[in-house]
Amino acid sequence: MFRIMFYQPCIPPNTGNAIRLAANTGCELHLIEPLGFSMSDAQVKRAGLDYHEMANVTVHPNLVTAFTELKPQRVFAFTAHASRYHTDVDYRPGDVLLFGPEPTGLPDDVLAEPEITDRLRIPMLAGRRSHNLANAASIVVYEAWRQNGFDGAV
């Protein structure tokens, strides 16, 4: 399946919701430290409900370590500053879907990483800054999964 990657997430409920997303879609969730919370935070647990044991979640100390361990063939970075839409890509299992922290998005140095295959955006109305992190991940994951025939779904 796909690999959701949150770079230095800050808001615990968004990560809890992403845990649920990973559990319900078969995606892996990769979190890049530093996290703005503890994984034992009550808000993470509450948002993730009882899905924590069903999700494949890995916390990495930094982005370089994550890329070294995952050896991704393709990494799509999601940013409001891209010109191509998330629907302009033919997703393949194993793709990394990289999202930045809630208040700022992905920093320029991360967007410049050589592992980044492409920068993509999710459409929204003019004058808006961003989508909620967990919602953005859901939008992209379900588009990627749809393109792959909802493999494994009931």
Side-chain angles (χ1 to χ4, degrees), residues 3 66-75 94-96 115:
R3 298 165 169 173
F67 286 154
T68 300
E69 291 175 3
L70 295 175
K71 298 176 182 36
Q73 291 185 8
R74 302 190 321 166
V75 178
D95 284 346
V96 172
E115 287 83 4

Side-chain angles (χ1 to χ4, degrees), residues 13 18 64 73 83 88 93-94 96 101-102 124 141:
V64 172
Q73 291 185 8
S83 57
D88 293 338
V96 172
E102 294 86 346
M124 60 186 155
V141 163

Side-chain angles (χ1 to χ4, degrees), residues 25-136:
T25 60
C27 290
E28 298 172 3
L29 177 60
H30 296 270
L31 306 174
I32 309 303
E33 292 181 318
L35 308 180
F37 50 85
S38 163
M39 286 300 287
S40 63
D41 187 297
Q43 291 179 313
V44 173
K45 290 185 181 288
R46 187 176 308 115
L49 294 174
D50 58 347
Y51 289 89
H52 292 264
E53 292 76 32
M54 292 182 253
N56 183 347
V57 181
T58 305
V59 179
H60 301 275
N62 54 57
L63 193 58
V64 172
T65 300
F67 286 154
T68 300
E69 291 175 3
L70 295 175
K71 298 176 182 36
Q73 291 185 8
R74 302 190 321 166
V75 178
F76 297 103
F78 293 87
T79 173
H81 306 291
S83 57
R84 288 176 21 104
Y85 290 135
H86 73 290
T87 53
D88 293 338
V89 170
D90 291 327
Y91 296 98
R92 298 189 300 243
D95 284 346
V96 172
L97 312 172
L98 175 61
F99 299 87
E102 294 86 346
T104 59
L106 291 167
D108 290 338
D109 62 319
V110 170
L111 290 169
E113 287 287 332
E115 287 83 4
I116 303 295
T117 304
D118 204 350
R119 297 176 189 185
L120 303 171
R121 69 178 298 124
I122 300 168
M124 60 186 155
L125 295 176
R128 282 27 174 218
R129 284 185 324 223
S130 65
H131 291 280
N132 167 281
L133 179 60
N135 291 345

